[in-house]
Amino acid sequence: MLRSYFIENCIEAGTDEAGRGCIAGPVTAAAVILPNYFSNDLLNDSKLLSEKNRFALRPIILKQAISFSVTHIEPIIIDEINILNASLKAMQESVLKLNIIPDHIIVDGNRSLISKGSHANKIGKVFTCEELELIKSIPSTSIIKGDSKYMSIAAASVLAKTYRDDYMDLIHEEFPMYNWKQNKGYPTKEHRAAILKYGITKYHRLTFRLLEDKKIIDEEIQEVKH
């Protein structure tokens, strides 16, 4: 059974991301502050839920959350600052966009929300000094498998996953040959076969292993850059 909070009697935000292992599309994070009385038997780590249940939960979370936000970090930024930093940046931006400043943040995973280089500040949204100081001033706790332990992290995982799926469905219409509506940008055999046949797009992460034969894709990346 999911727990309501990590620290009692404080405003606590949960944050999580989706799409780290993809080779196309953004990494997406969400931050959610839930009321202490929030309860839902269906809520769980988004990876353990069916697509139908994730999308059924989303309006419930949006309606009952005290505050929530979602952030997409595009492939060009992922390639510039790496996927770990991009994931942390997405979660940091999501926390900053909440309309209430939390007293504490719980983060899914084993990485601190603020770690060395985690707020690479040269591309994408450039944090002001005040924003950097604010995000560093809020205590945070990293929890391994937190999305299956705490409601606010689970809720953030649902929002991150569903909003990222919506994004991939949208860009699927632009490039249907990659079938992102189905694979959501993950490196399936079908996705990689399409890259081999049609090449890469602006939505592909150029620093990722897009094909098993890295030499082929490296040559194409050089053509794109020139």
Side-chain angles (χ1 to χ4, degrees):
M1 184 175 179
L2 298 181
R3 302 167 203 168
S4 297
Y5 46 77
F6 183 80
I7 296 179
E8 193 174 5
N9 298 323
C10 79
I11 299 173
E12 188 169 77
T15 186
D16 197 7
E17 52 72 29
R20 275 187 67 170
C22 297
I23 58 174
V27 62
T28 301
V32 179
I33 299 173
L34 293 174
N36 286 340
Y37 60 78
F38 182 88
S39 178
N40 188 289
D41 292 337
L42 185 59
L43 182 61
N44 205 338
D45 171 7
S46 64
K47 296 185 292 295
L48 303 177
L49 298 171
S50 67
E51 181 179 33
K52 179 181 178 181
N53 285 341
R54 285 194 296 268
F55 278 93
L57 276 166
R58 185 166 78 178
I60 296 171
I61 295 167
L62 299 185
K63 182 178 181 180
Q64 297 192 38
I66 295 171
S67 184
F68 68 89
S69 65
V70 178
T71 302
H72 299 298
I73 299 292
E74 304 296 340
I76 189 172
I77 301 174
I78 295 171
D79 289 333
E80 179 73 20
I81 65 175
N82 78 45
I83 187 60
L84 172 60
N85 285 335
S87 299
L88 292 170
K89 186 178 178 72
M91 289 190 282
Q92 292 164 3
E93 284 194 33
S94 294
V95 170
L96 288 171
K97 288 192 293 188
L98 292 170
N99 57 25
I100 297 174
I101 299 172
D103 300 317
H104 183 246
I105 306 165
I106 48 177
V107 185
D108 181 55
N110 61 0
R111 294 277 186 168
S112 169
L113 187 63
I114 298 294
S115 60
K116 288 184 179 179
S118 65
H119 40 71
N121 213 25
K122 298 177 182 178
I123 189 169
K125 173 181 168 55
V126 177
F127 296 152
T128 65
C129 292
E130 291 77 12
E131 287 173 327
L132 285 174
E133 287 305 312
L134 175 60
I135 197 68
K136 288 192 287 185
S137 72
I138 304 170
S140 64
T141 303
S142 301
I143 302 167
I144 296 173
K145 296 184 179 179
D147 46 8
S148 61
K149 296 176 181 177
Y150 292 92
M151 286 188 182
S152 61
I153 300 180
S157 77
V158 168
L159 295 191
K161 174 62 176 166
T162 55
Y163 278 102
R164 186 180 187 281
D165 283 356
D166 285 347
Y167 185 106
M168 298 308 295
D169 289 351
L170 183 63
I171 64 173
H172 168 88
E173 301 303 319
E174 188 177 354
F175 293 99
M177 67 283 283
Y178 300 95
N179 200 17
W180 290 329
K181 192 175 184 69
Q182 181 66 36
N183 62 53
K184 307 305 182 189
Y186 282 92
T188 62
K189 288 183 179 179
E190 177 191 36
H191 189 178
R192 281 182 159 150
I195 293 172
L196 189 60
K197 182 176 181 179
Y198 299 107
I200 56 177
T201 71
K202 60 186 177 182
Y203 298 112
H204 282 102
R205 303 175 184 177
L206 304 186
T207 53
F208 280 53
R209 194 177 186 88
L210 302 181
L211 292 176
E212 295 300 334
D213 187 341
K214 191 172 184 297
K215 182 179 178 182
I216 295 174
I217 207 67
D218 283 347
E219 291 172 354
E220 182 158 348
I221 290 171
Q222 291 305 313
E223 290 182 12
V224 170
K225 288 182 176 180
H226 292 91

